[in-house]
Structures are given as C-alpha cells and as structure tokens.
C-alpha cells in the first residue's frame, strides 16, 4: 500500500511538472503529504493510542533490566 501511494504521489507530481507549472505540482505534493500525515495520525489516535510514544523509555528500562 505504501509503495502504491508513493508511486501515485510521485507519478502525479511528475506529470504536473511536465504539463502544468511548478506551483501546482508543489501544492499537490504538499497537500498529499499532509493528507497522509493526517490519516496516519488519526489512525494512531483513534485505534492505537499506546503507539503515540517514541518507545525510548521502554527500551532503556528493558536494557537496564527493569
């Protein structure tokens, strides 16, 4: 799924660069990236709130034998 989304994003951006102007390609690329970030954030907040932390404290505790 990630590969397909990446291919779509860069394919459309490449097409926009060749057939329209740079501003429209930049706007699409930025908007699509923000949409993906918002979607992944919504999934974490809604479905897996335990995945919010970085995990560093847990790994340090494990390595210290706690």
């Amino acid at each position: 799924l990630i590969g397909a989304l990446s291919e779509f994003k860069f394919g459309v951006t490449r097409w926009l660069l060749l057939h329209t102007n740079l501003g429209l390609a930049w706007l699409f690329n930025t908007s699509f990236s923000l949409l993906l970030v918002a979607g992944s954030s919504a999934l974490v907040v809604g479905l897996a709130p335990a995945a919010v932390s970085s995990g560093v404290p847990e790994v340090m505790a494990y390595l210290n034998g706690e």
Side-chain angles (χ1 to χ4, degrees):
L1 180 65
I2 294 171
L5 287 172
S6 176
E7 292 276 335
F8 173 74
K9 179 178 126 175
F10 290 120
V12 171
T13 302
R14 192 175 301 117
W15 186 88
L16 287 170
L17 283 171
L18 293 173
H19 294 91
T20 62
N21 60 8
L22 178 65
L24 187 59
W26 178 85
L27 182 65
F28 170 77
N29 197 7
T30 304
S31 300
F32 195 80
S33 297
L34 288 174
L35 179 70
L36 291 176
V37 168
S40 63
S41 298
L43 285 174
V44 168
V45 169
L47 296 177
V52 172
S53 70
S54 67
V56 174
E58 291 84 359
V59 172
M60 289 176 60
Y62 176 78
L63 292 175
N64 287 330
E66 297 176 15

